[in-house]
Amino acid sequence: MPRIPHRLLHRARRRSAYLPLLLRATRDLDAAQNELRWLREHASALASSKVAHKRRTLQHACEARANGRPLQYLLGTQPFGELNVLCRPGVFIPRPETEAYTTYLAQLLLSRKEKLPTRNGTLSLRVLDLCTGTGCILLHLHQQVSGQIPDLDFLGVDISRRAVDLARRNLRNHVANEVLGSAAARQVVFKQGDVLQTNAETRPQAVPGLNTILEKSTRTFDVVISNPPYISERAYNAETQRSVRNYEPKNALVPEGEDKQDIFYLAALKAASFVAAKLLLFEIGDTLQALRILRLAARLLPSHQGEIWREWPSSTETDFDSMGSMVKIKGNGRIRALVFWAVGSGSKI
């Protein structure tokens, strides 16, 4: 990482004694000033009315940030659409790109709601979210579509007890703050489960396998979403930021075992087949991974057609040649997600 120019440090110090600390994390003065404002507000809300206490709280926060601690862990939250998602150490922090494709998915579902199923005469949508983390995807999706789709049934699964507890807390907080309607309390459920295991007996701590959870639910799902661990060990060590490696949970990014970065997609595709999902959305790392998962899906879900979404998906399309067939790529930025639609008469949401 390049050194911070002395002139920039001098400018920062003239404005505030805290800014040189934050520059070590942001490397940009405007960004450092924004973070200082947010940390000041947070310190004022946490600390007593004594000025000295507020200053100590702010000083400790700025020092932690200078050492690479993520801002979201210091503030305790991350904006995600209309949500203010609680963030805690040990649970992966939601990213803007995830918010972007979740928002676009909600827009697509609403634009095609006449193709959604009806259950008991009511427009309905059932969504399964694998590796749910903070629960941000399901909660944001619920907030976006609940006004027009009354019968919602959302299930989020994660192996981490800490993640599931935090997702449940996020649900309660957003219902209490009326960001989500009261119906969300019964329409959104988070459960601890192992996406890679088919039953509890294969694990000594009896974490239920995904199939066990799905069999007990006795439901089909219209949509399966997953932002799983998908980064290789090599890419994790060479390409991720120091703050990510030092502070965020590695198992939310890197699957265990060598050359296993695609293993969660295999499990997610099998789950999608099991629940008869019509639409799948998976976050991915790069073009090579997209090609591998497209080949895997062609074998496991031949009735589904794939397309690629960039970081900021939109109706703008280009075509990409994958194994002799053309795949649509939507939006701008880096490749970020794979989407699979069921094809055939009346099957596409």
Side-chain angles (χ1 to χ4, degrees):
M1 181 180 293
R3 296 176 60 185
I4 301 172
H6 178 74
R7 182 180 301 175
L8 183 58
L9 284 170
H10 182 65
R11 286 176 57 200
R13 193 174 291 110
R14 283 191 303 172
R15 298 184 185 185
S16 170
Y18 300 114
L19 282 174
L21 288 170
L22 297 177
L23 268 178
R24 288 166 55 182
T26 65
R27 325 298 289 188
D28 177 85
L29 186 54
D30 288 339
Q33 289 181 127
N34 281 333
E35 291 199 2
L36 178 57
R37 174 168 54 85
W38 296 326
L39 289 170
R40 272 201 174 112
E41 292 171 355
H42 185 63
S44 295
L46 285 181
S48 69
S49 58
K50 294 181 179 180
V51 173
H53 190 192
K54 292 180 180 179
R55 286 177 177 170
R56 283 196 302 273
T57 302
L58 180 59
Q59 179 71 29
H60 292 159
C62 290
E63 289 172 354
R65 185 72 181 114
N67 289 327
R69 191 174 183 84
L71 180 69
Q72 294 87 345
Y73 288 159
L74 293 170
L75 297 177
T77 58
Q78 167 64 25
F80 198 89
E82 298 296 318
L83 311 178
N84 205 23
V85 176
L86 296 174
C87 298
R88 298 292 183 268
V91 183
F92 190 64
I93 297 167
R95 268 33 181 199
E97 298 86 355
T98 307
E99 176 190 340
Y101 68 63
T102 305
T103 301
Y104 189 64
L105 173 63
Q107 293 169 353
L108 283 181
L109 290 170
L110 291 176
S111 71
R112 303 175 184 191
K113 63 181 181 179
E114 72 280 356
K115 295 186 177 181
L116 291 175
T118 57
R119 297 179 173 98
N120 299 319
T122 304
L123 199 63
S124 177
L125 178 65
R126 292 175 175 171
V127 181
L128 174 64
D129 180 22
L130 304 177
C131 308
T132 196
T134 62
C136 59
I137 291 176
L138 283 188
L139 298 179
H140 180 43
L141 190 61
H142 191 285
Q143 193 274 332
Q144 292 283 293
V145 306
S146 58
Q148 298 186 48
I149 306 173
D151 180 19
L152 298 175
D153 195 346
F154 289 5
L155 173 61
V157 178
D158 202 293
I159 194 172
S160 166
R161 167 54 60 184
R162 185 176 297 182
V164 171
D165 289 344
L166 184 59
R168 290 171 176 168
R169 186 176 171 191
N170 270 312
L171 171 59
R172 292 193 301 270
N173 278 10
H174 286 96
V175 170
N177 295 333
E178 298 184 347
V179 178
L180 297 176
S182 59
R186 66 177 184 278
Q187 292 178 338
V188 183
V189 175
F190 296 105
K191 293 185 178 182
Q192 186 181 20
D194 189 341
V195 172
L196 298 182
Q197 296 292 343
T198 58
N199 53 60
E201 286 70 29
T202 56
R203 296 186 61 86
Q205 299 303 316
V207 175
L210 178 61
N211 280 9
T212 302
I213 293 174
L214 295 178
E215 286 167 0
K216 289 181 178 179
S217 72
T218 63
R219 293 177 297 183
T220 58
F221 287 88
D222 307 303
V223 180
V224 173
I225 304 174
S226 186
N227 179 11
Y230 58 73
I231 300 176
S232 68
E233 188 76 31
R234 181 202 60 77
Y236 177 81
N237 292 324
E239 299 173 14
T240 58
Q241 296 177 342
R242 178 172 61 93
S243 64
V244 173
R245 294 193 302 273
N246 289 347
Y247 290 96
E248 296 195 64
K250 183 179 180 181
N251 63 359
L253 293 163
V254 183
E256 293 182 4
E258 293 185 14
D259 300 321
K260 296 290 187 179
Q261 63 262 39
D262 298 340
I263 191 170
F264 279 88
Y265 299 108
L266 175 61
L269 286 165
K270 288 181 177 179
S273 177
F274 182 78
V275 301
K278 300 294 190 297
L279 171 60
L280 290 65
L281 191 158
F282 301 154
E283 184 165 326
I284 55 170
D286 54 31
T287 304
L288 291 177
Q289 189 167 54
L291 291 173
R292 294 195 302 271
I293 307 310
L294 283 167
R295 288 194 293 268
L296 185 62
R299 178 167 57 87
L300 295 178
L301 288 176
S303 61
H304 287 60
Q305 180 177 330
E307 64 185 35
I308 297 171
W309 289 3
R310 296 187 182 274
E311 287 176 313
W312 314 110
S314 68
S315 58
T316 303
E317 293 183 356
T318 56
D319 289 329
F320 178 77
D321 190 348
S322 171
M323 302 172 291
S325 61
M326 303 308 291
V327 176
K328 293 185 183 301
I329 303 181
K330 290 188 172 183
N332 301 295
R334 297 173 58 189
I335 286 174
R336 181 56 59 189
L338 276 177
V339 179
F340 297 94
W341 302 89
V343 295
S345 177
S347 62
K348 186 172 180 179
I349 293 177

